[in-house]
Amino acid sequence: MTNIAICGANGKMGKTIYSCIQERDDCKVVAGIDLYTEQYADFPIVALPSELPVKPDVIIDFSNPASLEGLLEYCLSTGTPIVVASTGYSEDQIAQIKSAAQQIPVFFTFNMSLGINLLVQLAKKAASVLGDRFDIEIVEKHHNQKIDAPSGTAIMLANAINEEFDNSKHYVYDRHSRRQKREKSEIGMHAIRGGTIVGEHDVIFAGHDEVITLSHAAASKSVFAEGSINAAVFLKDKPAGLYDMSLLV
């Protein structure tokens, strides 16, 4: 049994994680962390990690980047593994996450969906086969409440593809002010925000007289919740290190 604390427990993702855990017998929620501490289930919710009444086996963080410092401080001081599932981190915060992984188990990825992480592997394979003969564009679509753009998943896809080109590609986020032809060294990224779109990602390989598109669409938040729960169960009792979804695909 894996005892889990949910950071962001009163948010939409936090409640979805709790609902998914209720359907499983390999883990349970023992506490929540949220500035909004109203209790809605049979576990306590506190405002800060330092106020947790019990030490969980793993913390799942689906809150926001502002929570990171306090979470890492708690996890480092108690040796608690953490699944970092929020998005919108700065480069400095990502460096903090990687530094913490030298002392505690940290599961970090820009997207907790198994399908998205399979898409990453397929995109890498396509890039290695198609090479520079095809232009690469990434289109991501999310709901109108999402703050960061492009999505962390779009960046993850671009970074994975770029590795196949020895990181020789550069990213172009906005074309309306670029009065020039597309360069071969570009990976274009485009963000769409509207309605209640949970998350859709297209990786487009456009060549001469043919186009290959790899796509993933999430119909509900539960795909991300289940991924984070699987990560938490996996992370329990692991040694210090940085883990990601490639280990679960």
Side-chain angles (χ1 to χ4, degrees):
M1 180 67 68
T2 301
N3 294 325
I4 295 172
I6 304 171
C7 184
N10 264 310
K12 291 180 180 179
M13 278 305 309
K15 290 181 177 180
T16 302
I17 290 169
Y18 170 71
S19 178
C20 291
I21 288 177
Q22 289 295 96
E23 303 298 319
R24 301 174 60 136
D25 57 11
D26 59 348
C27 54
K28 65 178 181 180
V29 180
V30 295
I33 306 165
D34 201 298
L35 292 178
Y36 181 60
T37 58
E38 182 174 336
Q39 187 172 337
Y40 59 88
D42 59 349
F43 61 89
I45 300 177
V46 297
L48 300 170
S50 59
E51 298 172 352
L52 285 171
V54 294
K55 180 182 177 298
D57 294 322
V58 185
I59 292 176
I60 296 177
D61 175 32
F62 246 121
S63 56
N64 63 71
S67 303
L68 181 67
E69 185 174 350
L71 279 171
L72 291 182
E73 181 179 343
Y74 172 85
C75 291
L76 287 168
S77 65
T78 60
T80 304
I82 182 169
V83 176
V84 181
S86 298
T87 61
Y89 293 109
S90 67
E91 290 298 322
D92 181 63
Q93 288 177 312
I94 292 174
Q96 292 178 45
I97 292 168
K98 292 180 178 179
S99 176
Q102 298 176 21
Q103 301 179 55
I104 58 172
V106 176
F107 199 105
F108 176 57
T109 182
F110 288 107
N111 193 298
M112 299 303 304
S113 160
L114 282 174
I116 277 289
N117 285 273
L118 176 59
L119 179 65
V120 169
Q121 300 304 316
L122 294 173
K124 285 171 65 72
K125 179 63 176 179
S128 69
V129 172
L130 301 174
D132 275 331
R133 294 169 294 168
F134 284 68
D135 297 324
I136 303 168
E137 299 282 312
I138 298 171
V139 181
E140 56 96 346
K141 307 171 189 176
H142 285 88
H143 53 85
N144 57 23
Q145 300 300 301
K146 186 172 179 61
I147 297 173
D148 56 310
S151 68
T153 302
I155 296 171
M156 177 175 70
L157 285 161
N159 289 343
I161 292 168
N162 205 9
E163 288 176 3
E164 297 298 317
F165 297 99
D166 297 323
N167 294 311
S168 62
K169 301 286 188 180
H170 69 280
Y171 306 156
V172 175
Y173 304 100
D174 186 5
R175 294 198 187 279
H176 82 274
S177 61
R178 294 169 62 88
R179 305 296 295 176
Q180 62 188 64
K181 293 181 179 179
R182 189 189 195 282
E183 299 173 356
K184 292 298 294 182
S185 59
E186 294 181 11
I187 294 179
M189 281 195 273
H190 313 275
I192 295 171
R193 298 288 176 268
T196 58
I197 302 171
V198 175
E200 299 179 12
H201 293 83
D202 296 329
V203 184
I204 302 166
F205 294 87
H208 183 68
D209 292 338
E210 61 180 334
V211 176
I212 299 167
T213 302
L214 303 175
S215 300
H216 177 272
S220 76
K221 295 179 183 295
S222 65
V223 296
F224 311 116
E226 287 290 354
S228 69
I229 298 166
N230 290 337
V233 172
F234 166 86
L235 201 61
K236 181 186 178 184
D237 298 328
K238 286 290 186 295
L242 188 64
Y243 302 87
D244 61 36
M245 290 296 286
S246 65
L247 299 169
L248 302 183
V249 174

